[in-house]
Amino acid sequence: MSDRTELPLASLDIEAWTCPAPVRDRPRVVMGHGGGGALSAELVQQIFAPAYGGETLSQMGDAAVLSLGGARLAFSTDSYVVRPLFFPGGSIGDLAVNGTVNDLAMSGARAAYLSCGFILEEGVELETVTRVAEALGAAARNAGVEVATGDTKVVESGHGDGVYINTAGIGVVPEGVDLRPQRVVPGDVVIVSGAVGVHGVAVMSVREGLEFGVEIESDCAPLGGLVETMLAVTPDLHVLRDPTRGGLAASLNEIAAASGTGVVVREREVPVPPEVANACAILGLDPLYIANEGKLVAFVPREHADAVLDAMRAHPLGRDAAVVGEAVEAHPGMVVARTGLGGTRVVDLPIGEQLPRIC
C-alpha cells in the first residue's frame, strides 16, 4: 500500500502553479517573447505582421531589401536592452552599432548610415551615458558607418533600466546579390565564421558574477568586411544569418523552415571554445542556442564552398571558420545534429531564450 497522500482536485490551487518554461497561450507578454525563438515568431506572425501587412515585411529577413530611386537598399532596425551595460569585450553602445550593421550585412549590404535613439531612465549617471555614447561613436567609426540622426527620451525612475538604445540603418545592396533562405537547395554547404556561444556566456558571467577560470570576452564585431570578402569570391551565396538571439539553432531552424529543406549539423565540427563548453556543461546550457554578436552562418553552393571557406579564413573575423553541415532533402523544415557518439538529435527552435537581456 502506498503512503502517498492523495489531494482532491478541487483543493489544488492551479493559479499558484508556476512553469519553468514560458506557456505559449499566456494572455500577457513573458520574457520568452523577446528571445528569438518560437514565442518571438508567434508574436510577429500572429500580432505584428497581420496588423502591418505589406509584401516587403513578408520577407522576414534580418533586413528588408527595397527598391528606391533605382537603387537596391537594405533597411533594418533593432533595439538593445542588454544588462549589464558594459561587459567583457563590449558594451550596449558596441551592440547598437554592430547589431544593426550586421543585420544589413546579412542582405549583402554595406551599412552607410545609422539613426540612434536613446531612452534614458531618470537618475542614470551622465558619466554612464557618456561612456555608452563614446563606445557607440567608436564602434560606428570602426564599422565605417555614420550616425546621421537620432532622438533622446527620458522615462521616470523605476520605468527603465538605465539606458536602452534603438538603431536603424540603411545600406546599398550590390548588383547580382540575392541572399534569402528561399534560395537554399539540398547540397548547400553550411559554414559558420567562428566560435559560437561566446557573447551570451560573456554577458552572463558578468551579470551573475560567475567565474570559469578564464575571462570570456564577447565576440561583438562588425561583419560587413567579412561579407564583402565572401561576395568577392562569388556573389552566388544563397543566404547569410547572424545567429544572435536563439543562437545557431534558431538561425538554422528559420532557414530550414523558409527554404523547405532539412539541415544536418555535425556537432563535433561546430567550433565551441573549451571555456564556453565548460560553462554550458556546468549550467546545463546548449552552446547551439546561445547568442553570438560577431559570427555568421552561410549556406553556400557546394561548388563554391572551398573557395569561400579559404577566403573567410584569410579574414581576421573568419580565421576559425568551419564547415558544420549541409542542406538535405530529408526531413524538410527540420534541423538535426549528428552527435559525437554516432546518434542524431533534433535541434528544435527554442521556445524562448536561455539567457534573456543579452542584446
Side-chain angles (χ1 to χ4, degrees):
M1 179 181 294
S2 171
D3 59 359
R4 183 178 59 188
T5 301
E6 298 287 350
L7 295 176
L9 183 61
S11 70
L12 299 180
D13 183 7
I14 297 176
E15 292 298 324
W17 291 6
T18 60
C19 178
V23 179
R24 297 171 75 168
D25 60 355
R26 289 187 178 182
R28 291 181 172 83
V29 171
V30 296
M31 289 299 294
H33 282 116
L39 283 172
S40 292
E42 289 178 0
L43 194 66
V44 171
Q45 294 165 4
Q46 296 178 14
I47 295 179
F48 297 136
Y52 302 158
E55 182 179 347
T56 303
L57 183 65
S58 66
Q59 298 174 20
M60 294 295 178
D62 287 334
V65 177
L66 316 167
S67 295
L68 188 64
R72 292 178 71 220
L73 301 178
F75 178 42
S76 185
T77 186
D78 209 339
S79 299
Y80 302 88
V81 296
V82 66
R83 179 171 55 87
L85 299 177
F86 303 93
F87 46 83
S91 70
I92 191 171
D94 299 282
L95 289 175
V97 171
N98 294 334
T100 296
V101 164
N102 292 347
D103 284 345
L104 294 172
M106 297 308 103
S107 67
R110 182 76 175 203
Y113 297 100
L114 295 180
S115 69
C116 179
F118 272 71
I119 299 175
L120 307 176
E121 182 185 14
E122 179 186 23
V124 66
E125 295 182 357
L126 288 177
E127 179 184 359
T128 298
V129 178
T130 300
R131 287 180 62 195
V132 171
E134 289 177 345
L136 192 152
R141 289 187 289 273
N142 182 55
V145 65
E146 181 181 347
V147 178
T149 187
D151 180 57
T152 304
K153 294 291 188 298
V154 177
V155 298
E156 297 89 342
S157 179
H159 291 262
D161 196 4
V163 178
Y164 298 150
I165 301 176
N166 172 273
T167 50
I170 58 173
V172 178
V173 181
E175 192 69 30
V177 173
D178 183 16
L179 299 173
R180 49 193 174 89
Q182 291 78 13
R183 297 194 63 220
V184 171
V185 296
D188 280 359
V189 173
V190 181
I191 302 175
V192 296
S193 63
V196 302
V198 180
H199 174 72
V201 173
V203 173
M204 179 187 61
S205 66
V206 178
R207 180 189 302 171
E208 306 299 337
L210 302 175
E211 295 184 3
F212 302 108
V214 60
E215 183 176 73
I216 302 174
E217 291 194 353
S218 170
D219 58 352
C220 185
L223 296 172
L226 176 61
V227 171
E228 287 185 351
T229 296
M230 298 167 67
L231 291 173
V233 174
T234 175
D236 190 31
L237 305 178
H238 284 171
V239 69
L240 301 177
R241 281 287 189 273
D242 58 331
T244 52
R245 296 177 304 167
L248 182 62
S251 292
L252 293 178
N253 271 279
E254 290 168 2
I255 293 169
S259 65
T261 65
V263 176
V264 175
V265 176
R266 294 184 292 276
E267 207 164 35
R268 278 187 172 178
E269 304 301 321
V270 178
V272 180
E275 57 271 24
V276 171
N278 293 338
C280 289
I282 292 170
L283 299 169
L285 303 176
D286 187 335
L288 295 183
Y289 291 91
I290 295 181
N292 313 272
E293 287 293 344
K295 300 298 187 299
L296 62 80
V297 56
F299 282 63
V300 182
R302 186 168 296 277
E303 62 269 25
H304 300 305
D306 289 341
V308 169
L309 183 63
D310 288 343
M312 293 174 71
R313 288 175 171 171
H315 190 279
L317 295 179
R319 59 177 176 267
D320 296 321
V323 173
V324 299
E326 62 184 340
V328 297
E329 290 186 8
H331 50 80
M334 181 181 295
V335 180
V336 301
R338 291 180 179 162
T339 69
L341 298 177
T344 60
R345 66 182 179 97
V346 175
V347 181
D348 204 357
L349 187 68
I351 296 295
E353 173 62 77
Q354 295 184 102
L355 305 172
R357 299 281 303 276
I358 43 75
C359 65

